[in-house]
Amino acid sequence: MEETTEKEYGNGNGNGVTKRDISPAPVASVIDGMDAQYYKVDDAPATKKIKLNDTESPTVDARDKGIARIKPEFLIPKPGKSTILAPPDDDDAEAGGTKRKKERGQNKNRRFAKAREVLKFCESLKDGEGTCKFGNDCKFEHDVAKYISSKPADLDGTCPVFDAIGFCPSGLKCRWLHSHYIVEAGKLLVDEDKKVKSGREINRIDRDTQNTLQKKKFPVPKSDQILPYLDALKEHDTKEQNTFNSEVKTEEDEQKEKKDLAATYIEPPFLPSEKRPLNLHHAKILSPLTTVGNLPFRRLCRWFGADVTYSEMALALPLLQGSKSEWALPRSHTSEIPRFGVQIAAPKIWQAVKATEVLASACETQISGIQDFNLNCGCPIDLIYRSGAGSALLDSASKLVRMLKGMNYVSGEVPVTAKIRMGTRDNHPNAKKLVTRLVNEGDVAAITLHGRSRQQRYTRVADWNYISETAEIVRDMYEAKDENNKEQRERRKVWFIGNGDCYSWRDWWDGVEKYNVDSVMIARGALIKPWIFEEIDAKQYLDKSATERLDMIRKFAHFGLEHWGSDEYGINNCRRFLCEFLSFSCRYVPVGILEVMPPKIQDRPPMWRGRNELETLLGSGDYKDWIKISEMFLGPVHESFDFKPKHKSNAYDAEG
């Protein structure tokens, strides 16, 4: 819980794909007919590249703590009131909502109404062909002419989905039906050439697989084999912990006992050195993000140059139960291949292991549909933590080790990775000790460390010094491996990734050059400005014009229509997730109006206006403005649509 009509994706780092032209398409046609005064873009500046050197960079003293200083000519005075915008609650950026008591202005348990047709048309006939197996007993409409006449007037222009992939999966239900339907012939158009060449979504499961999962009949032979061993390993660890023995066992004795337990295997597991290689050296990585890290947003980030993307966090148990909504999360677009990972969270070892095996066998791992299985060990929200998943695993190291060992056994050639935090409590970080153990066990191909504790959530800056110290431990362990020991000699490097407060190209390069990590994973920085991946390549701040940013929103909307559909239901979904995206992107302060550089993710600006009215609109924190922006690309709001912003107490009600 993706992407493009476009071009060949790539990163220019030898991954077999070439970087394409990313020049923005004109948006003048989108704005035609809109309120010229409100959406004036004639004075929108061209993209500027602002390059900072050491002599130009202001001193730390020039920066007011926590405040993004704006050039005086762009400030909006508000006498008698604080002009500094309140910091938003970013718990949802990584893991959805939170249940803390002192939330201000959050809408809990949000519900979104589904679009309802005046006349419900039978799904079996939406492609204009086929027959309904229920015949006259079907409760839905079968008369095509009657259904089309009951629909609202089509939206202007060409169907973005048909234009992108050569056909429209929404069929007769499409809101741009006139652009790909011949009324006289009663036939939907198909561009076969474009259909063959266009990208597609993968990692889907069919109805039979879903039914098998729901009936608990999906075969998991590897899990059935490894789980008894993991239980025995737990008993062994418990016995060692509870038994007082004056005779201290050597490390050799410990390894021998574990090998005896491992001898119960029918077939040996893949060693990390035998799995598909994972190369994260200086890779530009988009973090797993809940809600806003959906497929269309990931496509957008790929378009801007992201090398690696991850699915939204999927819960293991709903995956095993065949939940349709949960299985939508591992779905990816071919533009994300071959560097796409699936993140899962689980409170129980058997859930994580079985979910990994199901994903490995049901998804297209053989064509590199999944790069790695990432275990979430850092989610801070109460719902996940109290269940024993996410960051709760940081306090159960032995359980975490067994979980990763089991996932590594059942994942076949696909490597296993982990994402952790510094610890659960501010004053008791345990990541160094945990990382040392994970590297020694040899079951993970990469570890990502978020430089905050669970208790911190997103308050205060990330501790990159701690990340650097942990990175040194991993590096030293790799360099100190015993070349005479076959197992250590064949052990691959464990990639170590830093995460936290990466908002600019300077933050990213500082991570890899000053803090010794192999790469930096980007989360909120990409939500606020997805072109951060371009900045990293260019090593420059890119002052995107308002028209370029509007074109970015257009791309997201079109990617969303491909993903959710171009019928009213799909448009409502796309509009909702576009508004979620705009709730982050509106926080971007153009570098051209900043008085002090570099920008920091934790800084909040005073009230400001843009260099033109469109730029001001794109910086609006009012959700009603987000809906106005969505109407540029998705048409007028349907009467069934409502949107409750996460940090507002009132909801939007469509005007009838």
Side-chain angles (χ1 to χ4, degrees):
M1 11 155 214
E2 304 186 359
E3 304 82 64
T4 72
T5 82
E6 303 30 320
K7 330 164 186 179
E8 303 246 294
Y9 294 73
N11 40 45
N13 61 358
N15 291 323
V17 218
T18 43
K19 176 90 175 177
R20 54 181 184 172
D21 176 24
I22 56 173
S23 55
V27 296
S29 59
V30 176
I31 309 210
D32 288 346
M34 305 299 292
D35 187 338
Q37 182 179 3
Y38 200 70
Y39 299 109
K40 188 171 75 173
V41 296
D42 294 340
D43 54 343
T47 299
K48 297 177 182 176
K49 297 182 179 180
I50 300 180
K51 195 166 186 176
L52 300 181
N53 55 40
D54 293 337
T55 59
E56 294 172 333
S57 300
T59 63
V60 177
D61 294 334
R63 179 186 297 277
D64 299 323
K65 186 176 181 181
I67 299 175
R69 286 175 53 180
I70 305 295
K71 293 178 181 177
E73 61 267 32
F74 298 105
L75 290 175
I76 300 176
K78 277 190 113 179
K81 292 185 179 180
S82 172
T83 61
I84 304 301
L85 298 180
D89 181 357
D90 274 341
D91 287 324
D92 54 294
E94 183 175 331
T98 173
K99 292 190 175 182
R100 289 178 293 173
K101 292 181 180 179
K102 293 186 178 180
E103 295 169 331
R104 293 178 294 174
Q106 262 208 357
N107 286 307
K108 302 178 183 179
N109 301 319
R110 296 189 299 163
R111 296 291 183 269
F112 298 94
K114 294 183 179 180
R116 301 190 179 278
E117 299 176 303
V118 175
L119 201 62
K120 294 183 178 180
F121 193 63
C122 181
E123 281 286 323
S124 303
L125 306 178
K126 73 174 184 179
D127 294 331
E129 300 175 351
T131 57
C132 175
K133 64 180 181 179
F134 298 106
N136 294 329
D137 295 329
C138 182
K139 61 181 180 180
F140 300 116
E141 183 59 51
H142 288 183
D143 189 324
V144 174
K146 185 177 178 182
Y147 169 71
I148 292 177
S149 64
S150 72
K151 290 176 59 184
D154 280 354
L155 299 175
D156 294 334
T158 304
C159 171
V161 180
F162 178 80
D163 192 48
I165 63 176
F167 72 104
C168 181
S170 296
L172 297 172
K173 295 188 175 187
C174 177
R175 289 300 316 281
W176 289 271
L177 181 61
H178 68 278
S179 65
H180 53 75
Y181 181 64
I182 303 174
V183 179
E184 297 78 11
K187 183 178 179 181
L188 289 164
L189 297 177
V190 177
D191 185 332
E192 294 292 349
D193 186 54
K194 188 176 288 187
K195 182 178 178 181
V196 171
K197 293 180 180 178
S198 64
R200 63 186 178 93
E201 293 185 7
I202 61 174
N203 297 341
R204 295 173 176 265
I205 58 169
D206 54 34
R207 182 61 62 85
D208 291 340
T209 302
Q210 186 179 3
N211 289 339
T212 304
L213 285 167
Q214 291 171 346
K215 294 175 182 177
K216 300 181 180 179
K217 293 183 177 179
F218 193 95
V220 283
K222 291 183 179 179
S223 297
D224 293 338
Q225 184 176 325
I226 189 68
L227 286 172
Y229 165 72
L230 296 176
D231 290 339
L233 196 59
K234 177 183 179 181
E235 292 174 8
H236 168 76
D237 291 342
T238 304
K239 186 186 299 183
E240 289 297 311
Q241 193 173 17
N242 296 335
T243 302
F244 176 81
N245 193 338
S246 57
E247 182 184 348
V248 179
K249 289 189 177 180
T250 64
E251 186 179 342
E252 233 177 82
D253 295 331
E254 290 288 339
Q255 292 300 323
K256 185 176 183 303
E257 287 191 17
K258 288 186 178 181
K259 285 181 180 179
D260 290 340
L261 284 171
T264 59
Y265 288 148
I266 296 173
E267 61 173 303
F270 278 101
L271 295 172
S273 59
E274 298 170 329
K275 287 179 176 283
R276 190 180 300 154
L278 188 65
N279 185 2
L280 299 179
H281 178 68
H282 288 191
K284 301 184 292 297
I285 308 171
L286 176 67
S287 176
L289 298 162
T290 297
T291 304
V292 276
N294 48 62
L295 188 149
F297 178 75
R298 298 197 307 266
R299 284 186 70 181
L300 186 67
C301 290
R302 280 285 193 174
W303 189 78
F304 277 119
D307 297 326
V308 180
T309 53
Y310 280 92
S311 73
E312 300 175 65
M313 178 183 71
L315 300 178
L317 188 57
L319 288 175
L320 294 173
Q321 293 170 337
S323 167
K324 184 177 179 181
S325 59
E326 209 68 24
W327 272 96
L329 303 181
R331 194 181 302 171
S332 65
H333 191 268
T334 49
S335 62
E336 297 182 86
I337 306 306
R339 307 182 81 180
F340 170 74
V342 173
Q343 186 183 69
I344 63 174
K348 306 289 184 184
I349 294 176
W350 68 267
Q351 292 178 12
V353 174
K354 289 187 176 182
T356 302
E357 183 171 5
V358 169
L359 284 164
S361 56
C363 296
E364 300 183 50
T365 57
Q366 296 306 311
I367 61 166
S368 299
I370 296 178
Q371 169 192 255
D372 66 292
F373 293 110
N374 183 268
L375 180 63
N376 184 313
C377 313
C379 178
I381 68 167
D382 297 342
L383 184 66
I384 301 296
Y385 176 78
R386 289 171 182 166
S387 73
S391 55
L393 293 171
L394 299 176
D395 290 332
S396 303
S398 295
K399 176 182 176 182
L400 173 57
V401 166
R402 293 195 302 274
M403 191 177 285
L404 290 168
K405 195 172 292 294
M407 291 173 63
N408 185 57
Y409 178 76
V410 302
S411 65
E413 295 181 352
V414 183
V416 173
T417 61
K419 186 172 188 286
I420 67 174
R421 285 194 173 219
M422 290 167 52
T424 55
R425 292 170 292 171
D426 284 352
N427 300 323
H428 296 83
N430 64 343
K432 292 179 184 177
K433 184 177 178 181
L434 181 61
V435 165
T436 301
R437 184 167 179 182
L438 294 182
V439 173
N440 275 331
E441 291 289 341
D443 293 303
V444 290
I447 300 171
T448 300
L449 175 59
H450 184 166
R452 291 185 176 89
S453 68
R454 186 240 171 200
Q455 186 179 348
Q456 278 181 267
R457 297 185 184 253
Y458 285 90
T459 59
R460 299 192 297 278
V461 296
D463 189 344
W464 272 89
N465 288 325
Y466 188 91
I467 292 174
S468 179
E469 291 166 7
T470 313
E472 287 184 19
I473 292 173
V474 176
R475 183 191 58 196
D476 292 345
M477 290 178 69
Y478 178 72
E479 292 177 351
K481 64 181 179 180
D482 184 359
E483 292 296 333
N484 295 321
N485 184 311
K486 184 174 183 291
E487 187 176 331
Q488 289 189 28
R489 186 173 64 248
E490 294 179 350
R491 183 175 294 177
R492 285 179 179 161
K493 172 183 170 64
V494 175
W495 301 103
F496 189 77
I497 315 300
N499 177 221
D501 293 350
C502 182
Y503 186 50
S504 68
W505 67 270
R506 190 179 291 277
D507 294 334
W508 193 91
W509 282 104
D510 280 350
V512 298
E513 292 177 348
K514 291 170 58 177
Y515 296 105
N516 303 314
V517 296
D518 294 304
S519 183
V520 178
M521 183 176 279
I522 308 172
R524 289 177 297 163
L527 292 174
I528 296 171
K529 54 173 186 181
W531 61 90
I532 186 174
F533 303 103
E534 279 186 345
E535 290 189 345
I536 292 168
D537 281 336
K539 293 190 176 181
Q540 298 180 56
Y541 294 100
L542 300 181
D543 190 7
K544 292 284 184 180
S545 69
T547 49
E548 288 175 302
R549 290 168 62 197
L550 190 66
D551 185 64
M552 172 190 74
I553 295 169
R554 176 190 67 83
K555 284 187 177 296
F556 179 95
H558 288 185
F559 293 159
L561 292 171
E562 281 186 58
H563 180 57
W564 290 297
S566 57
D567 58 352
E568 198 63 60
Y569 176 76
I571 290 175
N572 269 15
N573 264 342
C574 185
R575 196 187 307 275
R576 177 227 161 166
F577 286 103
L578 176 56
C579 288
E580 302 280 12
F581 169 41
L582 292 174
S583 73
F584 281 93
S585 67
C586 72
R587 288 161 51 182
Y588 172 68
V589 181
V591 294
I593 72 171
L594 284 174
E595 192 173 42
V596 176
M597 298 287 282
K600 297 292 183 183
I601 197 169
Q602 302 287 34
D603 289 353
R604 297 293 173 257
M607 299 296 292
W608 60 275
R609 61 178 176 82
R611 291 163 292 188
N612 56 63
E613 292 176 21
L614 180 58
E615 190 167 75
T616 303
L617 174 67
L618 295 176
S620 172
D622 187 341
Y623 69 96
K624 293 180 181 178
D625 285 332
W626 307 339
I627 293 171
K628 288 178 183 177
I629 293 170
S630 76
E631 290 182 317
M632 293 182 181
F633 311 106
L634 302 175
V637 174
H638 189 271
E639 61 182 8
S640 65
F641 179 78
D642 60 28
F643 178 74
K644 295 180 181 179
K646 287 179 178 175
H647 309 300
K648 302 288 183 180
S649 59
N650 55 333
Y652 173 80
D653 297 317
E655 299 176 2

